[in-house]
Amino acid sequence: MTEALLIAQPAVPVATAALVLLAPSGRAADRINLLGAVLTAAVATALVAIALAAAPGVAAAGSWLTLDVAAGVFLALAAAVGLASAIISPAYLRHAGRSWFGERRSHVYYYAAFNLFWAALLALPLAANLALAWLLIEATTAASALLVTFSGKRSALEAGWKYLVLTTLGLGVALLGIVVLYVAAGEHGPASLGWEALAGSAAGMPGQATLFAFVLVVTGLAAKIGWAPVHNWLPDAHSEAPPPISALLSAALLPTVLLVSWRTELALAPALGTTAIRELFLGFGLVSLAVAVPFLWRPLPWKRLLAYSSLEHMGVLALGIGFGTPLAIAGVVVHLVGHAIAKSLGFYTAIPLLRQDPGAARRAARGVARFSPSTAGAMAVSLVALAPVPPSPLFASELLVLLGGIEAGLLAVVAPAAVLLALGFLGLAHALIEGLLGGRGRRGTGPSPRSARAVALLSAVAAAALVALTVAACVLPGSELVQGLTGGAA
Amino acid sequence: MSAAVAAMVALGFGVIVVRRRSVATALVAVQGLVLGVTALALAGGEGGALALAGAILIVRAAAIPLLLVIARRRTPERALVAPTTSVATRLLLGTAVVLVAVAATPPLGLGERVAEHGALALLCLGITTVAVRRPALLQVLGILVAENGVYLLAIAVPGGVPAVVELGVLFDLVLVVTVAGAFAGKIHERVGSGDTDLLRGLRD
């Protein structure tokens, strides 16, 4: 049963992609996509339930696919964001107008690429093998680069091209690392690159070559995760992609690729010791925070602001993994989920915002509360959670990560991180106030687009989920879920 | 092995230096050919390994260059895109990057030190090509040079890399080159040239 579900997980969206190509009209494509998305999410729900019920153990493990606690958490993330993006996509497409693919068939090609991208994203957390994970990540690049450029605008082409070239080069570096690792593992057959097999043979691997391979793999993947200083594509791709795709990129793609580097780290820890691993992850974390925070202070267009906030939050996750204590890992889990909810809501809000104020695509949004209370409300929920203002779960998670750092005795890292997070908080709080009330934005409520109602509903759901997550954050440290993620140490 | 590695690195330098996209495409095709022939030679007489090496030879030396030739035909340039850096600068930069890469590589346990150095050198040359060349198609060729470096290391692994992984990587490579070709066509249609320097609108 579980095996069948594991295979169905990527198969259902791939089948949806094929079916959607046969759709006679845009509307029919909307319906087929929605049906496929609900089915995909149902399969994911079953798998997540199976994975979490077995915590802290592993529900199912094969040579290619695994269903452990980490797979459950990240699968839930990719499935939930994907479903929400599928639901909101028609609202975007209705007014998208001309695209790369021409107007008539644009829905069809959008959904086909969307489902292929989603299929790879859903399979990625389930990959039990580093080589398979690499292949899936490369597959996400091809599909998502087309989606980033969907609008066909010059700026979107620039963003898509940058994304395609930089992440492909990064993955080339990671692939070299994988080959070196395969040699270091000293065994033959694809199974030797499985997480379990790597962990088993790590103690006997040559230290220098393994460290070299690890640095290549993590640095290569960093280009895809968007860690500074190899993040150049991130703000452009997030701001130029259609909002439902930006949500998938930021809330699902970056974390699931991060999971691959996390799993590599856990598998190779016996060969490398904690110091080298820590230095690499903490380095990426601090540099990402330091690069992102100054941009949070600038009056950026809404989606670019959210993109730099993604860079900041990926930095927090890198710090959490680098600290590696159970407290920090609990923080990482809360942070992942909270960031996914708040960030995807933020990107969806761009749909009504850009309809009501098209100029907001090129300059910072101002005085939104004066012309659209519902859009302003959604922006507020998103930014309050991302800043993060208590009771945001991200406030709790950042606290947990920093406490985890203190627990690990790394005050020299915790102190600058805390300062940078505080500065980021002030920047986003400032952006929120200016965005809602600032400037001389036009007054009165114009015609409210249908997407505004959908986003208002989503923001109510998101707010409830965020509060529930804050409550969960209080009981998560020491739970079986965290034990499952740290290999039993909690 | 040494001769093959030397030829591949020399071809990699060629891609950084030459002016015309067609010449650079031919250089990368020859690089794929050298790589494929080396893989065939290393495969020994074993049937499965030979078939795999043959398939990879066809894709790397013929199919992918063909995709690029089609992409180039669809994007005719009225004039050569003038490089922003001189040939000497690019050669010097490439040499410096290769020397640093070779010096920084620890023994990777392959036994074939020359293949280890060659792989790293090609990876770095590919990245440098993407950084210094402006035409979209030449940047794709940079990616291919880097990928050829990775594949050079893979064929030097005693016993080879698993066939399923090699085929998967090959499939992904064809996919990415196809998408990149479509991009190059679209950029040309939109901007009137494949010069990626004209795409510099997104800045903060």
Side-chain angles (χ1 to χ4, degrees), chain B residues 138-151:
Chain B
L138 275 169
Q139 295 189 342
V140 181
L141 291 171
I143 292 177
L144 287 172
V145 169
E147 286 275 347
N148 281 343
V150 177
Y151 186 56

Side-chain angles (χ1 to χ4, degrees), chain B residues 45-53:
Chain B
E46 202 201 328
L50 271 179
L52 183 69

Side-chain angles (χ1 to χ4, degrees), chain A residues 19-440:
Chain A
L19 272 178
V20 121
L21 285 173
L22 304 174
S25 67
R27 245 162 215 249
D30 287 350
R31 283 198 206 108
I32 294 171
N33 181 62
L34 192 61
L35 201 70
V38 170
L39 199 60
T40 307
V43 175
T45 310
L47 282 173
V48 171
I50 294 170
L52 297 189
V58 177
S63 53
W64 292 103
L65 297 175
T66 183
L67 190 61
D68 55 4
V69 179
V73 172
F74 285 80
L75 180 63
L77 216 65
V81 179
L83 179 65
S85 283
I87 292 172
I88 204 89
S89 284
Y92 163 75
L93 287 171
R94 203 176 299 130
H95 302 287
R98 279 188 43 186
S99 74
W100 165 312
F101 305 104
E103 195 156 357
R104 211 173 62 79
R105 296 287 284 168
S106 68
H107 286 232
V108 168
Y109 290 118
Y110 172 91
Y111 286 130
F114 171 88
N115 276 292
L116 292 176
F117 178 33
W118 196 21
L121 274 182
L122 290 165
L124 197 47
L126 304 173
N129 184 295
L130 180 55
L132 176 65
W134 185 92
L135 293 173
L136 288 168
I137 297 174
E138 183 83 323
T140 64
T141 305
S144 55
L146 287 174
L147 286 165
V148 167
T149 321
F150 178 75
S151 73
K153 288 181 194 148
R154 196 173 165 135
S155 51
L157 274 169
E158 179 184 348
W161 181 254
K162 217 186 257 184
Y163 170 57
L164 184 70
V165 170
L166 289 179
T167 56
T168 307
L169 272 185
L171 288 176
V173 173
L175 184 63
L176 191 76
I178 293 174
V179 176
V180 176
L181 207 54
Y182 181 74
V183 177
E187 286 170 42
H188 289 297
S192 66
L193 286 171
W195 309 123
E196 293 280 323
L198 279 176
S201 53
M205 287 187 196
Q208 209 180 14
T210 311
L211 179 64
F212 188 67
F214 175 71
V215 172
L216 286 179
V217 171
V218 174
T219 311
L221 293 180
K224 186 91 185 182
I225 299 168
W227 278 333
V230 279
H231 67 287
N232 301 44
W233 65 271
L234 188 147
D236 297 344
H238 284 58
S239 62
E240 294 302 320
I245 304 305
S246 308
L248 263 181
L249 287 175
S250 174
L253 175 71
L254 309 187
T256 40
V257 179
L258 188 137
L259 172 67
V260 176
S261 60
W262 189 7
R263 284 193 195 271
T264 312
E265 179 250 57
L266 287 176
L268 296 182
L272 303 171
T274 46
T275 318
I277 291 174
R278 265 196 181 149
E279 279 168 5
L280 193 61
F281 277 83
L282 296 180
F284 274 127
L286 277 182
V287 174
S288 299
L289 281 181
V291 169
V293 165
F295 286 100
L296 301 179
W297 277 86
R298 295 174 58 174
L300 292 175
W302 176 245
K303 282 169 75 193
R304 274 188 104 72
L305 183 71
L306 293 179
Y308 281 105
S309 149
S310 290
L311 180 57
E312 183 201 8
H313 289 292
M314 289 306 124
V316 174
L317 292 173
L319 288 179
I321 294 173
F323 293 143
T325 59
L327 216 52
I329 297 301
V332 166
V333 175
V334 178
H335 205 83
L336 275 167
V337 181
H339 171 257
I341 298 171
K343 190 55 66 68
S344 45
L345 175 69
F347 279 118
Y348 300 147
T349 308
I351 301 174
L353 176 68
L354 295 180
R355 281 275 292 150
Q356 292 158 324
D357 182 9
R362 293 280 164 259
R363 55 160 170 76
R366 288 279 178 265
V368 177
R370 280 199 287 272
F371 61 85
S372 177
S374 64
T375 305
M379 284 169 76
V381 171
S382 176
L383 275 198
V384 162
L386 290 171
V389 183
S392 163
L394 296 184
F395 184 80
S397 61
E398 285 178 3
L399 208 60
L400 283 171
V401 167
L402 293 179
L403 286 174
I406 295 172
E407 190 185 27
L410 294 163
L411 260 178
V413 180
V414 172
V419 172
L420 286 167
L421 286 173
L423 288 172
F425 163 81
L426 290 174
L428 281 184
H430 173 248
L432 175 65
I433 295 168
E434 283 284 310
L436 297 190
L437 308 167
R440 285 197 215 143

Side-chain angles (χ1 to χ4, degrees), chain A residues 406-488:
Chain A
I406 295 172
E407 190 185 27
L410 294 163
L411 260 178
V413 180
V414 172
V419 172
L420 286 167
L421 286 173
L423 288 172
F425 163 81
L426 290 174
L428 281 184
H430 173 248
L432 175 65
I433 295 168
E434 283 284 310
L436 297 190
L437 308 167
R440 285 197 215 143
R442 56 196 173 83
R443 290 170 184 282
T445 49
S448 177
R450 262 195 285 178
S451 53
R453 268 171 284 161
V455 166
L457 186 71
L458 270 178
S459 58
V461 175
L466 287 167
V467 173
L469 186 62
T470 308
V471 176
C474 304
V475 295
L476 201 64
S479 68
E480 285 173 334
L481 195 137
V482 173
Q483 283 178 34
L485 288 169
T486 49

